[in-house]
Amino acid sequence: MKKEKRVKLERGELGMDIRPHIPDPRIKSEELIIPRSAEEIKARAERESEILKLRAQSINEKPCFHNTLQMINVEEIQDSFSDWNHFDLPDQMEQYDMMRSIENVGLLNPIYCTIDRDGRYSVIIGRVRLIAYCNLYEKTGFSDKYKYIPSYVINLDEIDELQIRTMMIESNISFRKISKFNMIRALIENYQLMKECKKFRNEKNVGMEIAKLFNVSEATTFNFLKTRNLCDTGLALLYDEKITLQVATYLAKVTKETQEKILDSYGVDGVKAIHRLKMLTGKKDIKMEDLEKLLKRIEKLEPYMTTISITVCSFLLDAFLKYLLEFKERDAKLRASVFSGRFNNVFKTKFNRSHMGYYLEAGKLDEVTVKRLLAKSIKKMEAVK
């Protein structure tokens, strides 16, 4: 067994180290304690006392560093605390988006750096922004425009490891998570602002730009924007997450007066029955008396279609699909003929396409069976030979 002598040094700069230390079982360690002078022991004790005071102060007074803003040369900033930051860095496209944002509107939020006794800077909040600045600095031929980045500077003697770690975690969580209330409100506000710009007059263009801005799909963006038409009660329920976005988008289809009537008559739990809510919101300008009649009619309405999930092993899959196809050709076909031969409102089949590819390639499935099951109409199903 390899034997290693390791010198154990007391941690004097940053306070308590909370990093996990997993010993290598292949290495037998022997610790050697280096004797310290009386001056060193005294300095260490004073530092520990300062750390305890700073920690208590940070809990009680919540220190603010906003009066320490400086412009720092990006070439002088280190990333000494990167091992403590467990959040993933953005991918290449996200980094490009950050650079594009800085080029368009500048850096809206300064980074945070520590400075040690030797005058060395190290980033603790804003690594992504710093990387973007460094990339822009290189991209623009080392232009002075991106040589200096605004940063709040914290003296390393005024902060300890726990505070640094806490700041890292809190800044990442607050930046990468956003509540539904804030997301919807921000989307709507940005939508209204973009509509004022000539470049984004077209609603689809606005939606696409907002989707990129908030890193969500276009479908989600437009669903959020539909909530602009919600009544006050509906908005409050959505913000409190008492109704889903799906319920909110259905309610937003009708007038605010109709929404209030539905919520008042049917209740929060009632509108969660989507198959009933669809009928209530099917006609945009429905009259109140017609709505009253419809509310009574749908009390016993059952879902017209439902989903059944079945898991089958590969050895039984071919036989099972043939049973399904027999049912589709015999029973579902008769019902589909009422809907102009379309299966959409009668019988739908979905597969794990990735798995199906493997089974078809291995010859475990009949390709004709799969295609006929996926056919959306009688005509398309019978055309598969």
Side-chain angles (χ1 to χ4, degrees):
M1 180 180 284
K2 181 181 176 182
K3 187 173 181 180
E4 175 192 78
K5 289 190 176 182
R6 179 166 59 88
V7 176
K8 182 179 180 182
L9 297 174
E10 292 186 36
R11 197 169 178 83
E13 284 298 320
L14 295 173
M16 186 173 71
D17 185 3
I18 62 176
R19 292 174 296 176
H21 293 283
I22 303 173
D24 188 335
R26 299 168 299 177
I27 299 174
K28 184 177 180 181
S29 299
E30 181 181 342
E31 293 182 351
L32 300 176
I33 307 298
I34 297 179
R36 294 185 179 274
S37 65
E39 291 78 10
E40 289 175 329
I41 294 172
K42 181 181 178 182
R44 174 64 182 171
E46 289 175 351
R47 174 59 181 157
E48 287 180 346
S49 176
E50 288 172 8
I51 288 172
L52 290 174
K53 288 178 182 177
L54 287 169
R55 196 169 296 160
Q57 182 181 337
S58 68
I59 293 172
N60 297 323
E61 300 179 12
K62 306 296 184 231
C64 176
F65 304 105
H66 289 175
N67 61 340
T68 63
L69 188 64
Q70 298 180 28
M71 299 297 289
I72 304 177
N73 188 333
V74 294
E75 294 180 301
E76 297 178 2
I77 303 176
Q78 306 172 63
D79 194 8
S80 304
F81 308 105
S82 58
D83 289 342
W84 299 354
N85 194 327
H86 302 299
F87 293 88
D88 293 333
L89 288 170
D91 60 31
Q92 192 175 39
M93 287 308 299
E94 290 170 333
Q95 190 64 58
Y96 286 153
D97 284 341
M98 173 65 75
M99 292 168 64
R100 179 176 58 85
S101 172
I102 292 172
E103 283 182 306
N104 289 341
V105 297
L107 187 68
L108 300 180
N109 296 302
I111 66 171
Y112 282 72
C113 287
T114 60
I115 183 170
D116 63 19
R117 293 173 185 176
D118 296 321
R120 293 173 298 198
Y121 298 97
S122 190
V123 61
I124 57 174
I125 297 176
R127 295 170 72 208
V128 177
R129 282 164 278 168
L130 177 61
I131 292 169
Y133 245 73
C134 290
N135 287 336
L136 286 168
Y137 180 51
E138 184 175 349
K139 174 187 169 186
T140 57
F142 306 102
S143 164
D144 284 345
K145 182 177 181 181
Y146 300 109
K147 184 175 182 179
Y148 299 92
I149 187 169
S151 173
Y152 297 116
V153 180
I154 306 169
N155 193 315
L156 200 51
D157 285 333
E158 298 176 3
I159 195 169
D160 73 343
E161 181 173 343
L162 288 177
Q163 286 175 282
I164 293 174
R165 286 179 178 269
T166 301
M167 290 174 72
M168 283 180 168
I169 293 169
E170 290 295 331
S171 65
N172 276 286
I173 288 174
S174 62
F175 176 74
R176 298 186 189 184
K177 289 187 179 179
I178 185 168
S179 70
K180 188 173 290 185
F181 168 79
N182 286 331
M183 173 67 85
I184 293 171
R185 183 169 63 182
L187 277 168
I188 292 174
E189 287 176 359
N190 277 272
Y191 172 84
Q192 299 294 356
L193 288 170
M194 286 184 179
K195 286 286 283 185
E196 298 296 322
C197 303
K198 291 181 180 179
K199 182 180 177 182
F200 302 115
R201 287 286 169 85
N202 182 285
E203 184 163 312
K204 183 169 178 59
N205 289 342
V206 178
M208 290 169 62
E209 193 66 22
I210 289 177
K212 287 192 291 183
L213 184 64
F214 287 90
N215 196 25
V216 294
S217 70
E218 289 178 33
T220 300
T221 300
F222 285 111
N223 279 334
F224 277 142
L225 290 174
K226 287 176 185 175
T227 61
R228 288 178 297 145
N229 301 321
L230 275 177
C231 62
D232 291 341
T233 305
L235 276 172
L237 291 171
L238 179 62
Y239 290 168
D240 292 339
E241 298 188 347
K242 293 181 179 177
I243 61 174
T244 63
L245 182 60
Q246 185 185 27
V247 169
T249 51
Y250 273 113
L251 284 172
K253 291 180 178 180
V254 295
T255 64
K256 292 185 179 182
E257 183 184 8
T258 303
Q259 294 174 39
E260 294 282 6
K261 181 66 178 177
I262 292 172
L263 289 167
D264 185 54
S265 304
Y266 217 41
V268 176
D269 291 331
V271 295
K272 292 177 182 177
I274 298 296
H275 66 287
R276 295 176 181 173
L277 186 60
K278 278 184 181 180
M279 288 195 66
L280 291 172
T281 59
K283 190 175 179 182
K284 184 175 181 179
D285 300 319
I286 189 170
K287 296 178 180 178
M288 282 298 112
E289 55 266 29
D290 293 333
L291 182 62
E292 291 277 6
K293 294 175 184 176
L294 192 56
L295 283 165
K296 292 177 182 178
R297 274 176 47 206
I298 67 169
E299 284 181 1
K300 297 182 179 180
L301 183 68
E302 298 172 348
Y304 176 70
M305 294 189 75
T306 190
T307 301
I308 301 171
S309 177
I310 298 174
T311 305
V312 184
C313 75
S314 60
F315 299 104
L316 299 174
L317 186 58
D318 188 54
F320 177 69
L321 294 187
K322 283 182 166 61
Y323 276 122
L324 282 181
L325 182 58
E326 183 183 345
F327 167 79
K328 184 176 184 178
E329 292 174 335
R330 185 188 67 235
D331 299 298
K333 181 179 175 181
L334 289 173
R335 185 68 182 172
S337 61
V338 179
F339 297 96
S340 304
R342 293 189 296 270
F343 286 105
N344 282 354
N345 297 318
V346 177
F347 181 77
K348 298 178 183 178
T349 311
K350 290 184 179 180
F351 297 138
N352 183 318
R353 291 185 178 273
S354 175
H355 289 184
M356 289 298 143
Y358 292 122
Y359 298 141
L360 288 168
E361 187 178 343
K364 291 187 174 182
L365 292 181
D366 177 21
E367 189 172 356
V368 173
T369 301
V370 174
K371 287 182 177 180
R372 287 173 74 88
L373 274 172
L374 290 172
K376 295 182 179 180
S377 68
I378 296 174
K379 185 177 179 180
K380 289 182 178 180
M381 181 177 70
E382 293 179 343
V384 178
K385 303 295 183 183

